Amino acid sequence: MAVIKNVAVVGASGALGMPVLNALIKSGLFNVTVVKRPSSSASFPDSVTVRTADLTSVDAVTAAFEGQDAVVSTVGTAGLAAQNVLVDAAVAANVKRFLPSDFGSDMAKPKTGAMPVFKFKIATHKALREAAAAKPDFTYTLVCNAAFLDYGIEKNMLLNWKERKPKFFDGGKNPFSATTLASVGQAVVGILSHPEETKNRFVYVKDIDISQNQLLEIAKKVDPSQTWDEPILLDTAALEKSSYESLAKGQVTQPVMMGFLFRALFGPSEYGGRFTETDNELLGVKGKTEADVEAIFEKLLHGSK
């Protein structure tokens, strides 16, 4: 496969998009273009080419993708339903590689891939496979990084450190995989630097396997002066069941969808929350230690006093 040189990023101003953009720029390997909505006021480094396009228009996005070897989508939840527009535009613009905004759970696992919370991502997978079958020069990579480590801690998702009221899923004992935003950015660089080895498949990256119990112990170690409530114990099977029941009643809410995400991340092994094999070595992802996790809490806990 030809070398990838020109790379466009969609969603580059978001929580994930910025680290991915920074990694691409820092690598010095690519000519980087950002494609943003006309209404966006986001600014980017001078080294980046900025194009605007109506992201709901295949024609407009096709024009924005002209001359690009690869497209990386880091759109947030609100943009997932329209990702097939980006796929169609990439095919029309003769883009060689497309990375959709997956960046999370292992949807290759049947029980996880069947969850309604992932329906838009699964629909994009289908579109990518069909496009690659019809046009062999068009390829894709699906990135699985499980939980976001630093972002997940910062936003109180992996452990409620802000109120010191932890919620433990399935006892908090199950190790799950987690990856920092910077390492996800490195993974994207690695994928685009190894197009042949990463084409038309899932790739798996992680920085660490860790449990909620371990996160709590690290937080207590970093700031032993704080008093924590006893963990609230939640069963992920019950949460998944409740989410399906709520959807059947037409209740499509964030808490309902979070029930599925908690099951995918903290549930038993058949949901794939802990990766047993990774592409870290190929992609240049070096991993993290508990000391690195301590550093994350050090910043957050001491900054929150």
Side-chain angles (χ1 to χ4, degrees):
M1 185 173 177
V3 173
I4 290 173
K5 189 64 178 177
N6 299 324
V7 180
V9 182
V10 183
S13 62
L16 176 61
M18 287 189 289
V20 168
L21 178 66
N22 289 339
L24 291 169
I25 295 170
K26 185 178 178 181
S27 74
L29 299 173
F30 311 103
N31 302 315
V32 182
T33 295
V34 166
V35 179
K36 67 175 187 176
R37 302 183 309 275
S39 61
S40 173
S41 60
S43 59
F44 302 96
D46 292 341
S47 62
V48 172
T49 299
V50 179
R51 297 177 180 176
T52 59
D54 176 357
L55 299 183
T56 66
S57 166
V58 173
D59 289 343
V61 180
T62 299
F65 286 171
E66 287 294 337
Q68 301 302 311
D69 300 315
V71 170
V72 181
S73 172
T74 58
V75 298
T77 302
L80 295 178
Q83 271 202 119
N84 285 13
V85 170
L86 306 183
V87 174
D88 291 344
V91 172
N94 296 312
V95 169
K96 301 181 182 74
R97 176 63 53 90
F98 190 97
L99 277 64
S101 189
D102 273 25
F103 303 109
S105 298
D106 183 5
M107 285 169 277
K109 298 292 186 184
K111 288 187 176 182
T112 299
M115 288 180 169
V117 70
F118 299 122
K119 71 175 183 178
F120 292 128
K121 292 185 176 184
I122 293 297
T124 298
H125 293 184
K126 182 175 183 290
L128 288 167
R129 292 186 178 106
E130 291 175 351
K135 188 175 184 179
D137 287 342
F138 176 80
T139 62
Y140 61 87
T141 305
L142 310 173
V143 183
C144 298
N145 54 253
F148 294 120
L149 180 60
D150 47 352
Y151 185 81
I153 293 174
E154 177 188 345
K155 298 301 181 181
N156 238 32
M157 296 175 184
L158 302 181
L159 184 75
N160 186 349
W161 59 270
K162 292 181 180 179
E163 299 175 314
R164 275 74 176 183
K165 296 179 179 179
K167 293 180 179 179
F168 275 6
F169 299 92
D170 293 350
K173 299 177 181 179
N174 294 339
F176 57 91
S177 297
T179 315
T180 61
L181 296 176
S183 290
V184 175
Q186 173 55 44
V188 170
V189 171
I191 289 165
L192 299 179
S193 302
H194 298 87
E196 189 63 34
E197 299 96 322
T198 59
K199 73 175 182 180
N200 300 344
R201 71 175 181 94
F202 286 94
V203 299
Y204 296 87
V205 296
K206 67 178 179 182
D207 275 324
I208 195 170
D209 289 330
I210 200 163
S211 70
Q212 288 187 290
N213 275 319
Q214 288 174 283
L215 289 177
L216 179 57
E217 290 307 309
I218 291 171
K220 288 180 176 179
K221 176 183 176 183
V222 169
D223 197 347
S225 66
Q226 296 296 327
T227 300
W228 292 72
D229 288 358
E230 283 297 312
I232 300 168
L233 301 180
L234 299 171
D235 181 80
T236 62
L239 290 173
E240 182 184 24
K241 181 174 182 291
S242 176
S243 290
Y244 274 116
E245 290 171 349
S246 296
L247 281 183
K249 298 174 185 176
Q251 299 171 6
V252 184
T253 65
Q254 185 180 34
V256 169
M257 292 303 175
M258 289 303 294
F260 294 117
L261 292 176
F262 291 139
R263 182 66 163 165
L265 179 58
F266 300 113
S269 60
E270 59 263 32
Y271 288 83
R274 182 183 188 183
F275 301 159
T276 56
E277 297 182 0
T278 73
D279 295 284
N280 281 12
E281 185 175 356
L282 173 67
L283 305 181
V285 176
K286 297 180 180 179
K288 303 294 182 185
T289 66
E290 286 196 11
D292 295 308
V293 180
E294 284 186 26
I296 294 171
F297 276 112
E298 185 80 32
K299 178 180 178 181
L300 294 172
L301 289 170
H302 289 171
S304 66
K305 283 185 175 180

